[in-house]
Amino acid sequence: MLRRIWARRTLAEAFSSRENSFGFLRLLFAFLVLLSHTFPLGYARDDPGAGITNGQAELGEIGIIGFFVISGFLITRSGLRFGLGRFLWHRALRILPGFWVCLVVTAFVLAPLVALLERGNLSGFWSHHEGPAQYVAKNLFLAMQQYGISDLLLDTPYAHRTGDSVFDGSLWSLMYEVGCYFMVGGLALVGVLRRAKFVVLIMAAAGFAVMIYDLIQAPKVPGPQGIHGPVLGFNGLDRYSLIYLTYLFLLGALFELYKNRIVMNDAGALVAVVVLLGTVQFGGVAVLGYPAFAYLILWLAIRLPRWLRGIGRKQDYSYGFYIYAFPVQQLLALLGVPDWGMLAYIALSTAGTFVLAVPSWHLVERPAMGFKDWTPRRSRRRPEQRPAADPAGPPRELAKDGA
């Protein structure tokens, strides 16, 4: 027992791209976001996570943190294996088709249903200056410029609290995710990931320094302070989110780049738990709690029971669950489901989200990924002209690390 607790296996030795629990963890983090949204969407109340962490993080933020750490780890693996064009093609196939279909389903299926429920007809729905067509067109390239549709959903608990018409408030984070993809692609292109990985360490250290500065300025609020607002003219981007989400992504990237030096064992996980709980109680979650949580995520991916490792390996519903949960919860709130009790609201929200997430995977996301090996006609080679496989290339087991 003690030998296992103090075992000095590195992350490279302990982690298997085929046998890990990332699929389960991603689904868990997506559910945390749904749970977080239950309170403002159903009851116009604050997420209780802020109270638990002394105002430092809500449940939904914990889910987002988990997503970005895992993404940083896996996407960096992908950046090390593929050229820039192939890398970006894979990333576009994984994000955009599901996102685009979600926009269309929200605008042309869910929004008309909401209009009928609220008004009894579709009068003015299609011609509104922020109608369904505008919703799709303005948000097509991930930077969310329009959250409402035709002034609907203004009679929901969330709108009573904020005054805003919002159909899918979860989509805001996707632009930051894609921005991190371009960052990894650029770092790979100039050789940083292979020959100068210390640059990534310096970038993460800069983010860490910002977190320390902000801890001094505002001890109970994590993340960069005083720099909210549009980035490069994009109203859909916010400097606060850009800095702290990129920092979290870089933490995940560092675990991949330094996997041969990072020791993963139960003792390290225990220390990480103590540090995380300490920061939750006394402050400094963004400074020490984020790195500790990142370590725990990688440790859980390795150490969770074997039966959890099959979740998400062949059917990854986590992305669809994340992008569809918010509109489902809004629709149920409009129907008065929260009045049936919080457990009923959570259960029906979860079930309703899976009703959309499952076909999203089987009909959109997985078929799109089937084109990942597509090559433009002019760049194709005849079979006899293809170079022989590099015997020193990546092992076959890396083929399913999320790339």
Side-chain angles (χ1 to χ4, degrees), residues 170-208:
S170 294
L171 300 182
W172 68 271
S173 69
L174 298 183
M175 189 65 178
Y176 301 96
E177 175 93 1
V178 171
C180 289
Y181 295 169
F182 279 105
M183 177 183 67
V184 169
L187 292 174
L189 181 65
V190 298
V192 165
L193 297 186
R194 290 192 179 278
R195 297 187 294 274
K197 57 188 178 183
F198 67 88
V199 172
V200 180
L201 183 60
I202 292 173
M203 293 169 64
F208 185 72

Side-chain angles (χ1 to χ4, degrees), residues 22 26 67-82 87-88 90-92 94-95 177-185 188 193 249 252-253 256-257 401-403:
F22 276 145
R26 281 190 295 238
F67 272 127
F68 271 77
V69 170
I70 292 174
S71 185
F73 180 76
L74 293 179
I75 299 307
T76 302
R77 290 170 72 87
S78 179
L80 286 165
R81 291 168 42 219
F82 297 106
F87 168 79
L88 293 177
H90 285 190
R91 304 278 54 84
R94 188 65 189 98
I95 291 290
E177 175 93 1
V178 171
C180 289
Y181 295 169
F182 279 105
M183 177 183 67
V184 169
L193 297 186
F249 190 95
E256 165 58 25
L257 294 176
D401 68 355

Side-chain angles (χ1 to χ4, degrees), residues 136-156:
V136 173
K138 289 182 179 179
N139 300 329
L140 197 60
F141 298 105
L142 295 168
M144 296 298 292
Q145 304 291 328
Q146 177 182 327
Y147 282 97
I149 300 175
S150 302
D151 285 338
L152 297 171
L153 291 177
L154 291 176
D155 191 25
T156 60

Side-chain angles (χ1 to χ4, degrees), residues 157-333:
Y158 184 76
H160 292 164
R161 181 182 184 185
T162 66
D164 296 324
S165 167
V166 178
F167 267 82
D168 200 340
S170 294
L171 300 182
W172 68 271
S173 69
L174 298 183
M175 189 65 178
Y176 301 96
E177 175 93 1
V178 171
C180 289
Y181 295 169
F182 279 105
M183 177 183 67
V184 169
L187 292 174
L189 181 65
V190 298
V192 165
L193 297 186
R194 290 192 179 278
R195 297 187 294 274
K197 57 188 178 183
F198 67 88
V199 172
V200 180
L201 183 60
I202 292 173
M203 293 169 64
F208 185 72
V210 172
M211 299 301 168
I212 292 177
Y213 174 81
D214 290 320
L215 177 64
I216 296 172
Q217 297 298 311
K220 295 206 172 178
V221 184
Q225 304 304 313
I227 50 176
H228 295 262
V231 178
L232 299 176
F234 287 100
N235 290 324
L237 289 176
D238 180 81
R239 294 181 185 180
Y240 169 93
S241 302
L242 183 63
I243 292 176
Y244 90 78
L245 291 179
T246 302
Y247 171 64
L248 292 165
F249 190 95
L250 288 171
L251 288 179
L254 289 176
F255 276 91
E256 165 58 25
L257 294 176
Y258 289 92
K259 61 187 176 185
N260 291 308
R261 298 186 181 183
I262 297 174
V263 174
M264 300 297 296
N265 57 28
D266 295 354
L270 180 60
V271 171
V273 168
V274 172
V275 170
L276 183 58
L277 293 178
T279 59
V280 165
Q281 181 64 35
F282 301 108
V285 163
V287 175
L288 297 178
Y290 285 178
F293 189 44
Y295 186 96
L296 280 175
I297 290 171
L298 270 296
W299 178 82
L300 288 169
I302 296 167
R303 293 286 283 120
L304 283 174
R306 185 177 297 272
W307 62 272
L308 291 175
R309 298 174 189 174
I311 298 176
R313 185 185 303 169
K314 294 182 179 180
Q315 292 87 30
D316 186 3
Y317 302 135
S318 60
Y319 179 52
F321 193 95
Y322 178 76
I323 62 178
Y324 282 108
F326 199 106
V328 168
Q329 288 183 282
Q330 281 284 62
L331 178 60
L332 293 178

